[in-house]
Amino acid sequence: MRRGEVLMSSQRATYEFRQVGDGDKTAKTDLFYREEIQLALRNRGMPLEGLRYDVTPTGMHYLLIHFDIPHASEDDWSLEIGGLVSRPATLDMDEVRARAPVSLPVTMECAGNGRALMEPRAISQPWLLEAIGTAEWTGTPLAPILEEAGVAGDAVELLFTGVDQGVQGGELQYYQRSLTIEQAMRDEVMLAYGMNGAPLQPQHGYPLRLLVPGWYGMTSVKWLTKIEAIAEPFDGFQQMRTYRYAQSADDVGDPVDLIRVRSVMIPPGVPDFLTRTRLVRRGAHTVRGRAWAGRLDVARVEFSEDGGHTWTDAELGPRLGEFAWRSWSAEWDAMPGERVLCVRATDEEGRIQPTEQPWNYQGMGNNMVHKVDARVE
Ligand SMILES: Nc1nc2c(c(=O)[nH]1)N[C@H]1C(S)=C(S)[C@@H](COP(=O)(O)O)O[C@H]1N2
Ligand SMILES: [Mo]
């Protein structure tokens, strides 16, 4: 097993690095910092024309890697299951693969998707709307592994640790997230080693990752090497200090968890290279896209050509799976002029995408209506 190269369990030492931005970690300008571009170049998004595919080609699926992609080999990988369990175990990759396999199409979205559309924006990975993808994941369900290990009655959470390490918020850390026992025991939660019929690629967590369908992506810990049953709720950085719906640096806020309802369109016509404004020929068009709501189904998708003043119902395609998106299409008779195309979805519990984003400090869960500028000729 390959651990990061640095950490000698430094007991919460802090490591101060240069601050970027206005001191409060937000930017109030349209200009982007070099550091945001640096992150954007490492963490690719899915170009929105990729919404054409039911299953996103692996090379188009978005990426989010906080630190470095670890250099891992499945030959010496091990997954440790320990903490408050009666039968601690260590599984190698042959043992993981020998277990009952499952495959599931899952739409994954980064909780920071839409961050750079907020004003002011949190200085971090500057997603517009491309932090999405749907893959056919293959792995083995987690629940039976936990049952075999015998999670003790006094355990309240399971802590998942990746081998990747770095400094965030001044803290040297492994990437770690937790789930309650109940959340972790759900049928769809799996240890995944395959993506779209091939082994995981290095950047997607090779050789093994957690996959928690319906949750924003941060929960699906990549390069998974340890699962630990713990007696107190985990209070590490990625749980308590980030992935929060907070209003300021001091506000603990509420945890970010399930994916919110969202619809996105394939921008019609052709783009202007720099601005990405669309040039569209006049006449009849079928505008297409995808809509999802995490664990929930999408009940309705509406399309607008006038910036959201008037809406017409789009037609819904089949749901690709219980945790995957639906396609939608809308007929549009494009008349010459400047148009602002919009799409919005409603989930099966009646929650609708907002037209104005309720702002939050970390730029989380921004499911504001998708708008596309188009010039009809
Ligand atoms: N070990 C580890 N797991 C991780 C991350 C990470 O940086 N390290 N990033 C998380 C975040 S924020 C997201 S959105 C998803 C992205 O998964 P993908 O890159 O396979 O699309 O992985 C999650 N799992
Ligand atoms: Mo993310």
Side-chain angles (χ1 to χ4, degrees):
M1 177 171 69
R2 282 154 212 272
R3 291 276 183 190
E5 318 217 313
V6 197
L7 181 69
M8 312 299 291
S9 178
S10 56
Q11 291 306 318
R12 306 236 152 155
T14 57
Y15 297 82
E16 292 306 330
F17 291 88
R18 186 172 56 85
Q19 279 272 334
V20 176
D22 300 342
D24 71 347
K25 299 187 181 139
T26 67
K28 291 151 193 79
T29 138
D30 264 2
L31 302 178
F32 282 77
Y33 290 97
R34 174 184 296 266
E35 286 78 359
E36 294 174 287
I37 294 166
Q38 188 165 258
L39 284 173
L41 290 170
R42 295 184 48 81
N43 297 300
R44 70 165 181 239
M46 187 193 73
L48 294 189
E49 59 272 32
L51 292 167
R52 289 213 172 79
Y53 307 93
D54 282 341
V55 171
T56 312
T58 304
M60 284 176 102
H61 193 286
Y62 87 92
L63 289 177
L64 199 295
I65 298 133
H66 287 239
F67 307 128
D68 287 349
I69 299 168
H71 181 212
S73 155
E74 61 176 44
D75 298 337
D76 60 0
W77 195 261
S78 65
L79 172 67
E80 199 184 317
I81 297 143
L84 301 172
V85 297
S86 38
R87 289 170 294 278
T90 303
L91 302 179
D92 64 25
M93 284 306 297
D94 286 338
E95 289 166 321
V96 172
R97 263 192 293 262
R99 303 185 63 89
V102 280
S103 282
L104 204 62
V106 175
T107 297
M108 204 189 303
E109 180 175 18
C110 181
N113 200 17
R115 171 181 292 129
L117 298 170
M118 287 192 188
E119 259 187 71
R121 69 174 186 279
I123 298 175
S124 181
Q125 166 73 19
W127 294 120
L128 297 170
L129 275 177
E130 56 295 276
I132 45 172
T134 296
E136 177 85 18
W137 299 94
T138 300
T140 192
L142 175 62
I145 293 177
L146 297 177
E147 273 155 18
E148 285 166 35
V151 177
D154 52 346
V156 296
E157 284 191 350
L158 291 153
L159 177 61
F160 300 88
T161 303
V163 293
D164 50 324
Q165 185 185 44
V167 178
Q168 198 176 351
E171 257 182 55
L172 180 60
Q173 59 191 277
Y174 286 106
Y175 186 89
Q176 293 184 305
R177 288 276 310 178
S178 71
L179 288 172
T180 64
I181 314 275
E182 196 190 342
Q183 289 159 351
M185 292 292 285
R186 285 176 60 101
D187 287 348
E188 69 272 13
V189 178
M190 69 161 104
L191 302 182
Y193 46 77
M195 182 181 181
N196 299 339
L200 294 180
Q201 294 192 349
Q203 66 276 17
H204 285 295
Y206 171 86
L208 191 67
R209 77 180 300 170
L210 180 66
L211 189 78
V212 189
W215 284 63
Y216 280 116
M218 72 285 171
T219 319
S220 293
V221 176
K222 302 193 268 193
W223 310 292
L224 181 69
T225 189
K226 197 168 171 188
I227 304 176
E228 217 181 326
I230 54 178
E232 301 289 335
F234 175 58
D235 66 353
F237 185 88
Q238 305 292 339
Q239 200 83 25
M240 287 304 291
R241 291 184 54 204
T242 187
Y243 299 110
R244 312 292 299 188
Y245 291 114
Q247 288 305 308
S248 68
D250 313 320
D251 178 14
V252 181
D254 294 321
V256 173
D257 47 27
L258 299 177
I259 294 176
R260 294 173 166 176
V261 63
R262 167 141 41 211
S263 52
V264 182
M265 75 181 91
I266 300 167
V270 297
D272 170 52
F273 167 69
L274 193 57
T275 63
R276 311 309 291 182
T277 297
R278 312 302 298 187
L279 188 62
V280 179
R281 64 164 170 74
R282 68 176 297 170
H285 292 269
T286 304
V287 182
R288 296 175 195 280
R290 303 276 168 178
W292 61 92
R295 231 184 238 176
L296 299 178
D297 201 355
V298 171
R300 185 180 192 193
V301 172
E302 296 161 281
F303 176 77
S304 167
E305 63 150 9
D306 59 6
H309 293 290
T310 59
W311 297 91
T312 56
D313 274 294
E315 196 169 309
L316 291 183
R319 195 177 184 185
L320 201 68
E322 214 185 316
F323 302 94
W325 56 26
R326 281 177 183 276
S327 59
W328 59 264
S329 62
E331 300 310 318
W332 175 40
D333 190 17
M335 300 300 281
E338 303 289 332
R339 305 280 170 242
V340 180
L341 310 180
C342 301
V343 61
R344 71 175 179 197
T346 307
D347 72 26
E348 59 180 329
E349 293 180 353
R351 273 177 292 258
I352 189 165
Q353 287 183 253
T355 37
E356 298 292 335
Q357 177 56 41
W359 182 88
N360 64 76
Y361 182 70
Q362 299 174 0
M364 295 291 170
N366 180 0
N367 66 337
M368 191 168 61
V369 167
H370 182 200
K371 294 187 179 173
V372 172
D373 291 326
R375 179 179 301 170
V376 182
E377 289 290 315

PDB file of all heavy atoms in Angstrom, residues 62 64 110-112 217-218 243, ligand 2:
ATOM      1  N   TYR A  62     -15.977  14.502 -15.633  1.00  0.00           N
ATOM      2  CA  TYR A  62     -15.253  15.528 -14.869  1.00  0.00           C
ATOM      3  C   TYR A  62     -14.311  14.875 -13.853  1.00  0.00           C
ATOM      4  O   TYR A  62     -14.451  13.692 -13.534  1.00  0.00           O
ATOM      5  CB  TYR A  62     -16.231  16.478 -14.168  1.00  0.00           C
ATOM      6  CG  TYR A  62     -16.700  16.014 -12.802  1.00  0.00           C
ATOM      7  CD1 TYR A  62     -16.017  16.396 -11.645  1.00  0.00           C
ATOM      8  CD2 TYR A  62     -17.802  15.184 -12.664  1.00  0.00           C
ATOM      9  CE1 TYR A  62     -16.437  15.980 -10.385  1.00  0.00           C
ATOM     10  CE2 TYR A  62     -18.221  14.762 -11.410  1.00  0.00           C
ATOM     11  CZ  TYR A  62     -17.528  15.155 -10.283  1.00  0.00           C
ATOM     12  OH  TYR A  62     -17.943  14.735  -9.035  1.00  0.00           O
ATOM     13  N   LEU A  64     -12.167  15.726 -10.007  1.00  0.00           N
ATOM     14  CA  LEU A  64     -11.813  16.619  -8.917  1.00  0.00           C
ATOM     15  C   LEU A  64     -10.839  15.905  -8.007  1.00  0.00           C
ATOM     16  O   LEU A  64     -11.176  14.889  -7.395  1.00  0.00           O
ATOM     17  CB  LEU A  64     -13.053  17.096  -8.141  1.00  0.00           C
ATOM     18  CG  LEU A  64     -12.894  18.351  -7.271  1.00  0.00           C
ATOM     19  CD1 LEU A  64     -11.949  18.169  -6.112  1.00  0.00           C
ATOM     20  CD2 LEU A  64     -12.449  19.563  -8.067  1.00  0.00           C
ATOM     21  N   CYS A 110     -19.949  17.337  -8.781  1.00  0.00           N
ATOM     22  CA  CYS A 110     -19.168  17.956  -7.710  1.00  0.00           C
ATOM     23  C   CYS A 110     -20.050  18.967  -6.983  1.00  0.00           C
ATOM     24  O   CYS A 110     -20.810  19.706  -7.616  1.00  0.00           O
ATOM     25  CB  CYS A 110     -17.943  18.655  -8.283  1.00  0.00           C
ATOM     26  SG  CYS A 110     -16.906  19.429  -7.022  1.00  0.00           S
ATOM     27  N   ALA A 111     -19.928  19.007  -5.660  1.00  0.00           N
ATOM     28  CA  ALA A 111     -20.724  19.946  -4.864  1.00  0.00           C
ATOM     29  C   ALA A 111     -20.406  21.397  -5.224  1.00  0.00           C
ATOM     30  O   ALA A 111     -21.214  22.292  -5.018  1.00  0.00           O
ATOM     31  CB  ALA A 111     -20.474  19.716  -3.377  1.00  0.00           C
ATOM     32  N   GLY A 112     -19.219  21.615  -5.804  1.00  0.00           N
ATOM     33  CA  GLY A 112     -18.823  22.976  -6.181  1.00  0.00           C
ATOM     34  C   GLY A 112     -19.261  23.356  -7.586  1.00  0.00           C
ATOM     35  O   GLY A 112     -18.938  24.466  -8.056  1.00  0.00           O
ATOM     36  N   GLY A 217     -20.135  14.439  -5.144  1.00  0.00           N
ATOM     37  CA  GLY A 217     -18.955  13.619  -5.378  1.00  0.00           C
ATOM     38  C   GLY A 217     -17.962  13.476  -4.241  1.00  0.00           C
ATOM     39  O   GLY A 217     -17.286  12.447  -4.132  1.00  0.00           O
ATOM     40  N   MET A 218     -17.877  14.483  -3.359  1.00  0.00           N
ATOM     41  CA  MET A 218     -16.817  14.448  -2.314  1.00  0.00           C
ATOM     42  C   MET A 218     -16.918  13.224  -1.426  1.00  0.00           C
ATOM     43  O   MET A 218     -15.944  12.838  -0.784  1.00  0.00           O
ATOM     44  CB  MET A 218     -16.856  15.732  -1.466  1.00  0.00           C
ATOM     45  CG  MET A 218     -18.021  15.871  -0.510  1.00  0.00           C
ATOM     46  SD  MET A 218     -19.547  16.276  -1.373  1.00  0.00           S
ATOM     47  CE  MET A 218     -20.747  16.113  -0.050  1.00  0.00           C
ATOM     48  N   TYR A 243     -17.204  21.596   2.457  1.00  0.00           N
ATOM     49  CA  TYR A 243     -18.464  20.910   2.144  1.00  0.00           C
ATOM     50  C   TYR A 243     -19.539  21.273   3.159  1.00  0.00           C
ATOM     51  O   TYR A 243     -20.221  20.415   3.724  1.00  0.00           O
ATOM     52  CB  TYR A 243     -18.275  19.394   1.989  1.00  0.00           C
ATOM     53  CG  TYR A 243     -17.314  19.113   0.866  1.00  0.00           C
ATOM     54  CD1 TYR A 243     -16.047  18.619   1.106  1.00  0.00           C
ATOM     55  CD2 TYR A 243     -17.659  19.448  -0.428  1.00  0.00           C
ATOM     56  CE1 TYR A 243     -15.138  18.456   0.070  1.00  0.00           C
ATOM     57  CE2 TYR A 243     -16.764  19.296  -1.468  1.00  0.00           C
ATOM     58  CZ  TYR A 243     -15.513  18.798  -1.218  1.00  0.00           C
ATOM     59  OH  TYR A 243     -14.628  18.646  -2.241  1.00  0.00           O
TER      60      TYR A 243
HETATM   61 MO    MO B   2     -16.207  17.752  -5.544  1.00  0.00          MO
END
